[in-house]
Amino acid sequence: MLLLLLLLLCVCGEAPAQIIQIPQLDILKALKDEWGTFYGSDSWTGAQCGQMWGIACNANGFITSLSIIEQTLLTPIPPAISGLSYLQSLTLADCHLTGSLPSALFTLHSLTKLDLNYNDLSGSISTSISKLTNLEYIAIQGNSLEGSVPVEMSRLKKLNLLRLGRNALSGPLPPFITSFTNLVTLNLDFNSFSGSLPNSLIQLQGLTRLHLEYNRLDGSLPSALGALTQLCYLMLGGNDFSGTMPSALASLKNLQVLSLRGLRLHGLVPLALSSLQKLQYLELSSTSLSGPLLPIVAPMTSLKELVASYNQFTGDVPIPASKALAVVDVQSNYFSSAPTRPKNCSAVRFLLFDNCLPTALCGVNHEQRSNASCAAFCGVGQGGALCSGHGYCFMNDSSSTGECVCEAHYSTRNGPHTCTYTGKQSESRLESLTV
């Protein structure tokens, strides 16, 4: 009976703690000697894996994951790391690591995740990275890597995330990227990549995030972008793309963020984009787009921020039918009228300077020199003002006629302007507008 009880205890009792293999402990000691003291390093003195900060092991006591984040290590990646041959996940992010990507790193053939974001790494990406054929996740964003992306990376067929943004990489966009058919996130922003977007992007059917802003990319925006129907983020601003906005973008029904800031675009915004019901952030500033914008954004029920300043848009101020709306920045355009005051007016920040608009949307300036009714009608306000420009308004209130006369003097891109308008206080629009 006693023997049976002991057997049951062995079978049903708690599993023994994982004990790290002694050679692995020696490697951890070597790493700690290089890096010095950091948060959690005191726990590396034991032998039980579950009690070591940032460490995970397999059942045999071999280290499979090493994660250190936001520490001040201030050294290159030590050669000793090559001894962690069972390592599948390596995260050394925001740790002030220096030097280049060492050859020791490319001996870790079991790696599926490599995260070296936001360090001080420099040099080029070695062709030896192609040896890590199990990699699914590469994040080396926010360093000082330079040169081109080696063609040998094309062997990493399992990649689903590639983040190389905020470096000093250059050359044409690597054509082999479109062969990474498992790719979900591609981030190459804030580099110096050049050339045009290939139509072969259509092969990246699973892509949800495409961040290419602030490079030196040029040419037209290909209609092939419309085939990436899983896209949630499309960030192309700060490049040299030119031409018109392709109506194919209306096919991106999952799109939440679209940024085309600073592109050399012209013509109208395609009306078909009004069908993007999931769009939350639309950035179209500093292009040469023109025509009415209200018909495009009015049906967008999820839009939180509309930034379309420094363009040539005309007609009504564009106000989406979105309860989540927080910002409408359409300063420096040619809007000449305002639609009905939005219901959530007090919660929206309007930036409307350098237009000439006859009615106010929200609030009045607390320093107005006329009564609040007339001031509101004439459009004096902070952020919500429609005709305050960069100058001032004079208002005359005639109690006998109920008329307001507003004269606004302000500067625009095309020189000084004066707007004079007159109308009834009770009206939502003016009877006349003289510029």
Side-chain angles (χ1 to χ4, degrees):
M1 180 65 70
L2 182 59
L3 181 61
L4 179 59
L5 181 59
L6 290 174
L7 181 61
L8 287 173
L9 287 173
C10 290
V11 173
C12 302
E14 293 184 1
Q18 293 173 330
I19 304 299
I20 297 181
Q21 297 281 343
I22 291 177
Q24 302 271 284
L25 290 174
D26 292 339
I27 294 168
L28 289 182
K29 183 179 183 303
L31 294 176
K32 185 180 175 183
D33 289 344
E34 287 283 341
W35 289 332
T37 301
F38 55 89
Y39 181 85
S41 61
D42 291 345
S43 67
W44 286 19
T45 57
Q48 293 187 7
C49 185
Q51 297 179 2
M52 290 189 171
W53 183 84
I55 301 291
C57 307
N58 62 18
N60 297 319
F62 291 101
I63 297 172
T64 57
S65 178
L66 172 59
S67 178
I68 303 176
I69 301 174
E70 295 182 353
Q71 301 299 309
T72 307
L73 303 183
L74 297 174
T75 69
I77 299 174
I81 205 162
S82 63
L84 300 179
S85 56
Y86 288 82
L87 204 61
Q88 297 174 14
S89 175
L90 177 61
T91 298
L92 300 173
D94 200 4
C95 288
H96 302 277
L97 292 169
T98 61
S100 59
L101 299 175
S103 57
L105 201 60
F106 307 123
T107 64
L108 303 175
H109 298 147
S110 296
L111 270 186
T112 61
K113 177 181 179 180
L114 176 62
D115 185 348
L116 301 174
N117 275 343
Y118 297 103
N119 284 291
D120 299 315
L121 300 170
S122 58
S124 60
I125 301 175
S126 171
T127 58
S128 296
I129 197 172
S130 62
K131 297 177 181 179
L132 305 181
T133 54
N134 288 308
L135 275 176
E136 301 173 5
Y137 183 116
I138 297 178
I140 319 180
Q141 185 167 294
N143 284 279
S144 299
L145 300 178
E146 57 188 6
S148 60
V149 179
V151 68
E152 287 80 3
M153 277 189 71
S154 61
R155 299 174 190 169
L156 307 182
K157 299 298 185 183
K158 296 182 180 180
L159 276 183
N160 58 55
L161 182 146
L162 179 59
R163 285 185 177 145
L164 299 176
R166 300 175 187 271
N167 280 286
L169 298 168
S170 58
L173 281 179
F176 56 81
I177 283 178
T178 57
S179 68
F180 295 154
T181 54
N182 295 319
L183 210 58
V184 174
T185 296
L186 175 60
N187 191 329
L188 302 176
D189 63 0
F190 292 90
N191 280 289
S192 296
F193 290 112
S194 57
S196 59
L197 288 181
N199 284 318
S200 54
L201 281 172
I202 196 172
Q203 298 176 46
L204 302 179
Q205 290 292 304
L207 202 64
T208 63
R209 289 174 173 261
L210 179 58
H211 297 256
L212 298 176
E213 60 267 43
Y214 294 96
N215 279 282
R216 298 176 181 175
L217 302 172
D218 56 21
S220 60
L221 297 178
S223 295
L225 287 169
L228 305 180
T229 55
Q230 300 303 310
L231 273 183
C232 298
Y233 287 73
L234 178 57
M235 313 290 285
L236 301 176
N239 283 287
D240 294 322
F241 293 118
S242 59
T244 58
M245 285 183 68
S247 58
L249 295 179
S251 300
L252 306 180
K253 303 301 184 186
N254 291 303
L255 205 60
Q256 297 175 23
V257 177
L258 173 61
S259 174
L260 304 178
R261 176 187 178 91
L263 303 187
R264 294 186 291 115
L265 301 176
H266 61 84
L268 306 178
V269 178
L271 182 60
L273 265 65
S274 62
S275 63
L276 300 180
Q277 291 298 304
K278 294 184 179 180
L279 200 64
Q280 297 179 23
Y281 182 91
L282 177 59
E283 164 68 277
L284 300 174
S285 64
S286 301
T287 69
S288 293
L289 293 167
S290 59
L293 191 55
L294 179 62
I296 291 90
V297 302
M300 294 180 177
T301 55
S302 300
L303 204 63
K304 296 179 179 177
E305 293 192 27
L306 170 63
V307 182
S309 53
Y310 301 98
N311 282 293
Q312 299 175 26
F313 292 120
T314 57
D316 282 347
V317 172
I319 300 179
S322 171
K323 295 180 180 179
L325 188 64
V327 174
V328 174
D329 181 356
V330 291
Q331 56 189 311
S332 293
N333 278 282
Y334 297 99
F335 295 112
S336 58
S337 56
T340 305
R341 176 188 177 103
K343 293 180 180 179
N344 59 335
C345 196
S346 60
V348 182
R349 182 187 181 203
F350 290 93
L351 297 172
L352 304 162
F353 301 118
D354 202 359
N355 285 281
C356 192
L357 299 161
T359 57
L361 284 179
C362 300
V364 296
N365 193 326
H366 296 297
E367 299 177 357
Q368 78 274 5
R369 297 182 181 178
S370 183
N371 69 39
S373 175
C374 187
F377 178 79
C378 285
V380 182
Q382 300 174 0
L386 296 186
C387 202
S388 58
H390 298 289
Y392 44 87
C393 274
F394 292 105
M395 290 153 291
N396 296 314
D397 178 24
S398 172
S399 58
S400 60
T401 62
E403 288 187 343
C404 291
V405 179
C406 179
E407 181 178 311
H409 306 268
Y410 62 97
S411 299
T412 71
R413 291 172 297 177
N414 300 316
H417 272 245
T418 299
C419 292
T420 303
Y421 37 84
T422 304
K424 303 287 186 181
Q425 293 180 18
S426 59
E427 292 173 342
S428 61
R429 293 178 180 271
L430 290 172
E431 294 174 347
S432 63
L433 170 64
T434 303
V435 179

